Amino acid sequence: MTTPETATSPSSATADATAPATGPGRLGSLGPVGLVLAGGISVQFGGALAVTLMPRAGALGVVALRLLVAAVVLLLVCRPRLRGHSRTDWGTVVVFGITMAAMNGLFYQAVARIPLGPAVTLEVLGPLALSVFASRRAINVVWAALALGGVFLLGGGGLSGLDPTGAAFALGAGAMWAAYIVFSARTGRRFPQADGLALAMAVGAVLFLPLGIAESGTKLLDPVTLGLGAAVALLSSVLPYTLELLALRRLPASTFAILMSLEPAIAATAGFLILDQALSAAEAAAIALVVAASMGAVRTQVGGGRKKRAALESTGLEG
């Protein structure tokens, strides 16, 4: 939901560190659009796999495993430098890590109670709201109305069709996603490459591990649980970051952001195929409305940025 005009993508930063291990050869042959879609599929099918793991490890246990494995992989790959950073730098990365942990924790609590597709649809309202407010254009009233219409349909016409606690968790995850975007940009400006993201992931893992242990205890040490948790981390974090970097080398950021707006639809597909979570006609229409609103908001934001640059160029003020 972001472009370089609003935030620095942590996905691209992470992939910058992981790309050499993958190489642009076979993956690059998919084409940039194919890479983005493959990344989205990986994230959402990783989420579906996480739902199947919850009976074994609990929602908090799954989050702890995902953050821990992802942190270990990123720290080994990035090998971030610990010295030479100011208190402000460390404060930023700690808040980023807290935000990341909260976003994952709230989202997994949501998918433990409501289907994956509706959960992602509600979650995406966070970055959608950030995009709408950042643009400040009248057309955003249309996108906001579309999104609200989607939420109304998703709630069965009275916001009672979904478990209210699950819906609240999903909306909370959306708010944290918006904060995640803001702090990922700040962290990216203060730390080179993916160092900040690796450190923030470690912060999130340290914070969440006690919660996971408290809920699941020795269940987290089960080899099958550990293996599935590692698969969730790779599908939901490491692999998508690599694919997104390869795509961003050849794909305009505006196109990338629009493709990312398809996440609710991909999530609904993953929920149907993996979890047998069928959608009603109203729920499918709701997801379509939110996807349309997300795409429209991104296009409006990108268009506004281009017009602003053109105006600066015409007055000779740019640069």
Side-chain angles (χ1 to χ4, degrees), residues 29-206:
S29 66
L30 289 174
V33 173
L35 291 172
V36 175
L37 292 177
I41 291 170
S42 179
V43 167
Q44 300 308 331
F45 277 79
L49 179 60
V51 174
T52 67
L53 181 57
M54 286 178 186
R56 301 180 64 96
L60 298 180
V62 172
V63 177
L65 285 175
R66 173 183 171 175
L67 292 175
L68 180 62
V69 173
V72 170
V73 171
L74 290 174
L75 289 172
L76 289 175
V77 172
C78 301
R79 298 180 182 179
R81 182 169 53 88
L82 299 180
R83 295 182 179 180
H85 301 297
S86 67
R87 289 185 178 181
T88 304
D89 294 341
W90 284 111
T92 300
V93 83
V94 167
V95 174
F96 185 27
I98 293 171
T99 302
M100 189 185 305
M103 178 182 67
N104 281 278
L106 290 168
F107 178 72
Y108 278 52
Q109 289 290 339
V111 296
R113 293 168 172 82
I114 62 178
L116 184 62
V120 174
T121 302
L122 290 172
E123 185 192 27
V124 84
L125 293 178
L128 172 60
L130 180 64
S131 183
V132 167
F133 290 136
S135 181
R136 298 179 182 178
R137 298 183 65 187
I139 187 63
N140 286 326
V141 176
V142 175
W143 310 134
L146 280 178
L148 289 175
V151 172
F152 186 73
L153 282 175
L154 200 59
L159 297 181
S160 60
L162 294 174
D163 177 80
T165 303
F169 277 128
L171 291 172
M176 289 298 100
W177 192 356
Y180 171 92
I181 291 169
V182 173
F183 283 98
S184 69
R186 295 181 183 179
T187 301
R189 289 191 294 266
R190 292 182 175 275
F191 291 83
Q193 299 179 346
D195 287 10
L197 180 61
L199 293 171
M201 191 73 75
V203 170
V206 169

